[in-house]
Amino acid sequence: MQPRRVILTFGTNDLSPSYSASSFASDYAKGIKAVQDAYPSVDIIVNAIPPLGQQHSNQNLTQTQVDEYNKALVQMCQDNGWKFLNSAEVLKDSSTGYAKSGYVLSSDGIHLTEQAMDALFTYIRTHSYITEDTRPALTAVPTHTGDKDVSVASNIVSSTTAAIAPETTEAPDEDASDSSSSNGPDWADGTSGSYATAAPDPEYTYWSEIIAPTCTEQGYTYYHCNEDSSKDYKSEYVNALGHDFQNGYCTRCGAQDPNAATQEPTQEPTQEPTATEAPAPDAPADSGTSGSGDTPDWASENSDSTPEA
């Protein structure tokens, strides 16, 4: 599926008096390296083992061992350049060293409650770091074929790792470039009749543009590639704000509340001009300016002029 980031939380079920912290960390490292072999571009985050309740059903589990395991994980991450997420600090009661009250199920004192999970995921979201997305491009996203299996297809276009070769490939044209690479011919283009080379992707740099959400449209961050616009992508979506209707209208966008009673806007009535008498036949023509006898101020030289409201 080409995940960009994987957060691993192992440990509670592995606690045993006969299983040392060093052995646990050694086995943990093997598991992480297996993930890295399958997905070389993935970011690995090792999450702390959550604390136990002061009263718990399985007496083989001890908080002392949880703490020892977590210390071993910190050292393992330092040795391998992996990232350790110390989420236990938000789940622990600082005075007792065990899980905070209400953070483990009363039935076993081990599994986290919904309240604790909310605190955990808030911690994950607020303790982030920025990294480049180095996942290889795919011609198609694998699909699930069962509860746990995904379809198998050589759909990697380019990768920094060794290429996956199909059973057969077509020979290049005579004028094609050298195909002596041990990882596949240089002329491979990722189509069904060829496979990708092991040449690394070019380095791409990006600049980000934050698109704020509106009442009806979600917001997001738009990453623009400086080298290749086809590499642009959107991420970090934010839900639309929704309308904030007050007094029949949205305070943000001005949209009218469809549930509010509609009212016709009030208009000032148009003032009809006051009737005037026509000038005497022998009266001189008036220019229509203010103070010109009986002719109103609004009248122009044209007898059919009408005032503006």
Side-chain angles (χ1 to χ4, degrees), residues 7 10 20 32 41 64 66 88 91 107 109 126 130 139 146 161 168 228 232 234 276 290 292 308:
I7 301 175
F10 297 147
S20 68
I32 292 178
S41 61
T64 299
V66 171
L91 303 175
S107 58
T126 55
I130 299 173
T139 57
T161 62
T168 60
D228 183 356
D232 294 357
K234 300 175 183 178
T276 58
S290 177
S292 56
E308 296 202 8

Side-chain angles (χ1 to χ4, degrees), residues 122-154:
T122 298
Y123 187 93
I124 292 173
R125 287 192 295 269
T126 55
H127 290 69
S128 60
Y129 68 96
I130 299 173
T131 183
E132 271 194 73
D133 186 353
T134 58
R135 290 174 293 180
L138 300 177
T139 57
V141 176
T143 57
H144 282 282
T145 58
D147 289 342
K148 298 181 179 179
D149 299 324
V150 296
S151 61
V152 179
S154 298

Side-chain angles (χ1 to χ4, degrees), residues 171-181 184-188 197:
D173 296 333
E174 291 182 1
D175 58 350
S177 59
D178 177 42
S179 60
S180 60
S181 170
D186 294 338
W187 47 266
T197 70

Side-chain angles (χ1 to χ4, degrees), residues 278-293:
D282 57 349
D286 188 75
S287 63
T289 57
S290 177
S292 56

